[in-house]
Amino acid sequence: ILFSQIVHILNMTSAKIVSFLLHPEESLHSLQNRIEFETGISTGNQELLLETGICLDPRKPASQCVIDGVRGWDSYMVYLFDKSKTVYDGPFASRSLSDCVNYIVQDSKIQLPIPQLRKVWAEAVHYVIGLKEDYSRLFQGQRAAMLSLLRYNANLIKMKNNMVSASQQLKAKLEFFHQSIRLDLERYSDQMAYGISSEKMLKAWKEMEEKASQCAQAEDIGYLDEQIMALHTEIVELQKSPYARRQGEVMESLEQRAIDLYKQLKSRPPDHAYSDSTDMVKIIVQTVQSQDRVLKELFGHLSKLLGCKQKIIDLLPEIEVALNNIKEADNSVMQMQGKRQREIWHLLKIACTQSSSRSLVSSSLEGTASTPAATWLPQSSSGNAAPHPLSSLAAPEDGENFADVIRENVNYLELFSSILQEMRQELNSMMVS
């Protein structure tokens, strides 16, 4: 018996407690099947919360429902909620009266002997204490639901912050992309008349600009932000609500009055006197009425909590979709930026190739023009006399120099032809890409 593990589960949909003896190493799924058999709530709709608002982990054994140690083991509760419901139809019927207590409630003026009245009033006090404890357990279940809601809200805020941060980063990248591509298009248009032109590349850049404008739709998360802020405001109001705090002061006061009344009766000598139960019945009726009122407020507040929680559950997938859309748009913008930069560097490579080929051609032409001129210049003598007519004829060594120049020019021409061929190939490949 000492090593037995008992789990007490308070069904918040019916305000009834069901208890189970746990088998050794029993899984949580096995316990949920037993709960389904007892309560009618399917395992898929069961939400089991600890007092701290933490949901039971399905990967751990069912013994996680039981606290360690002896103290408090019989009062520790696990709170069962039905995820298919957001409105709970409380308050529920109060616990039933025992026969003897019901007897004095039906006729409070009936006279009973003091010894018998002590037994009846003792059961009446127990009944009043039980009503207060029933409310306390249900309030603790409501508190667990509130803590669970706050955990969901913390996760919602975290995802919202990630979404806002990603949206701002996408917005900044889009602004940079638009400014840079406009500048690139302007500079490209300026150099088309005298530089390099490619209609296919120009069309691709304009398509990039249009696609970037479409990516801007992903950063629009205003509608989600408004829903999250409205939900956050609603949760704050629920936390501030007086129904979020314990409302059992009246019941506690009535409990103390019932105990005091019983103590007064107990102090009376057990003689042959008789007495009625008017005062005790009045306390019982007031306690039942007070419990009905506070339970109505409790379940109304609980329904609002569960409604907020369901809104968060519905919002989380939408935020996840928005985050994925932002990431896809971000990747698309970065890919377009990288592609355009590679094309710009490709253009720069072609421009440099053309510039180097021009410089080679110009230098070869200058060498060709200067060498024959130097060869055919007349040789002047040391004096001012006119040169001899035959002195302008080429000597044998001058003829050899002229042949070298011709061969050099032929080599330059072949180099220039190969450079032009490479340039055409690169330009064609760029247009195809």
Side-chain angles (χ1 to χ4, degrees):
I1 292 175
L2 291 178
F3 286 102
S4 298
Q5 290 184 322
I6 309 294
V7 57
H8 304 289
I9 296 175
L10 176 57
N11 184 0
M12 295 296 292
T13 63
S14 63
K16 294 181 179 179
I17 298 175
V18 288
S19 301
F20 299 95
L21 173 64
L22 297 181
H23 304 305
E25 302 300 326
E26 182 176 5
S27 66
L28 183 62
H29 181 69
S30 173
L31 176 62
Q32 287 183 302
N33 288 332
R34 296 164 67 188
I35 293 172
E36 180 180 359
F37 180 78
E38 291 290 336
T39 64
I41 302 175
S42 64
T43 57
N45 289 326
Q46 292 177 18
E47 184 177 27
L48 297 169
L49 298 181
L50 301 176
E51 289 183 355
T52 55
I54 298 175
C55 188
L56 294 183
D57 191 343
R59 298 167 297 181
K60 296 180 180 180
S63 58
Q64 62 183 299
C65 303
V66 183
I67 60 174
D68 295 329
V70 177
R71 179 174 296 179
W73 70 272
D74 199 36
S75 60
Y76 189 76
M77 291 287 167
V78 176
Y79 303 95
L80 171 64
F81 294 86
D82 188 349
K83 291 189 286 188
S84 65
K85 294 182 178 181
T86 56
V87 177
Y88 282 22
D89 300 323
F92 304 99
S94 301
R95 59 170 59 194
S96 58
L97 293 166
S98 64
D99 293 338
C100 59
V101 176
N102 186 49
Y103 180 72
I104 62 172
V105 169
Q106 295 297 327
D107 186 4
S108 62
K109 296 186 180 297
I110 190 171
Q111 299 288 323
L112 294 174
I114 297 299
Q116 185 179 357
L117 200 60
R118 285 179 182 174
K119 296 179 181 180
V120 176
W121 280 23
E123 290 192 25
V125 171
H126 176 73
Y127 178 76
V128 171
I129 294 174
L131 292 177
K132 186 210 68 172
E133 289 179 348
D134 290 345
Y135 166 74
S136 297
R137 293 191 189 99
L138 291 171
F139 174 78
Q140 193 61 40
Q142 175 196 273
R143 182 172 177 80
M146 170 61 83
L147 294 174
S148 176
L149 172 63
L150 294 179
R151 291 178 182 276
Y152 272 82
N153 189 45
N155 189 30
L156 176 67
I157 293 174
K158 182 180 179 180
M159 291 188 66
K160 178 229 178 188
N161 292 338
N162 292 337
M163 179 182 66
V164 171
S165 176
S167 175
Q168 291 175 347
Q169 292 180 17
L170 175 61
K171 183 178 181 181
K173 290 180 180 179
L174 284 171
E175 290 177 357
F176 173 79
F177 181 83
H178 281 299
Q179 291 179 4
S180 60
I181 198 170
R182 288 193 198 104
L183 181 62
D184 291 340
L185 289 171
E186 290 175 3
R187 294 294 181 266
Y188 180 81
S189 300
D190 293 342
Q191 64 87 41
M192 282 179 63
Y194 58 86
I196 304 169
S197 63
S198 171
E199 290 297 328
K200 189 171 184 179
M201 189 184 69
L202 182 62
K203 182 181 178 182
W205 284 11
K206 290 182 178 179
E207 289 177 354
M208 285 182 186
E209 191 174 19
E210 294 176 0
K211 190 175 180 181
S213 300
Q214 296 175 357
C215 290
Q217 298 176 0
E219 70 172 273
D220 184 15
I221 56 171
Y223 69 101
L224 282 175
D225 195 30
E226 290 176 1
Q227 293 182 52
I228 294 171
M229 291 305 296
L231 190 56
H232 180 67
T233 303
E234 189 175 352
I235 292 173
V236 171
E237 291 298 324
L238 288 174
Q239 286 182 279
K240 293 180 180 179
S241 172
Y243 305 130
R245 295 182 289 275
R246 189 183 298 273
Q247 302 291 316
E249 293 84 359
V250 175
M251 297 179 67
E252 292 173 357
S253 175
L254 291 170
E255 175 192 15
Q256 189 60 45
R257 283 175 56 189
I259 294 172
D260 293 341
L261 199 61
Y262 174 73
K263 288 180 177 179
Q264 293 175 9
L265 178 65
K266 191 176 181 181
S267 63
R268 291 178 60 176
D271 50 15
H272 298 287
Y274 285 73
S275 180
D276 61 22
S277 303
T278 304
D279 294 336
M280 182 61 74
V281 170
K282 188 182 295 184
I283 292 175
I284 292 173
V285 172
Q286 290 177 352
T287 306
V288 171
Q289 292 174 347
S290 178
Q291 190 199 48
D292 288 343
R293 177 182 60 81
V294 294
L295 286 183
K296 183 177 180 180
E297 295 170 351
L298 183 147
F299 281 99
H301 188 72
L302 178 62
S303 298
K304 293 179 181 179
L305 293 178
L306 298 176
C308 283
K309 187 174 180 179
Q310 187 60 46
K311 290 178 183 178
I312 294 177
I313 293 173
D314 295 338
L315 268 177
L316 291 177
E318 295 185 35
I319 296 176
E320 192 68 34
V321 170
L323 264 173
N324 291 334
N325 292 338
I326 291 173
K327 290 179 180 178
E328 290 177 1
D330 188 281
N331 292 334
S332 179
V333 170
M334 295 305 295
Q335 288 176 2
M336 290 189 296
Q337 179 72 13
K339 185 175 184 295
R340 199 178 79 257
Q341 286 184 298
R342 286 192 296 271
E343 290 172 348
I344 290 174
W345 279 100
H346 194 66
L347 289 175
L348 181 61
K349 179 181 178 181
I350 295 174
C352 292
T353 304
Q354 289 181 349
S355 176
S356 62
S357 63
R358 290 195 189 101
S359 62
L360 287 174
V361 171
S362 61
S363 64
S364 64
L365 291 177
E366 289 174 0
T368 305
S370 60
T371 304
T375 305
W376 293 98
L377 281 176
Q379 300 294 327
S380 59
S381 60
S382 57
N384 293 327
H388 195 278
L390 295 178
S391 63
S392 61
L393 294 176
E397 60 273 10
D398 292 333
E400 292 177 1
N401 291 336
F402 183 69
D404 293 338
V405 170
I406 291 175
R407 283 194 298 270
E408 184 180 0
N409 287 339
V410 170
N411 292 334
Y412 281 133
L413 182 59
E414 292 176 354
L415 178 62
F416 177 63
S417 299
S418 64
I419 290 173
L420 287 178
Q421 184 65 24
E422 291 179 1
M423 182 190 72
R424 292 193 189 97
Q425 292 176 357
E426 291 179 352
L427 188 57
N428 290 334
S429 64
M430 182 191 70
M431 290 180 179
V432 170
S433 62

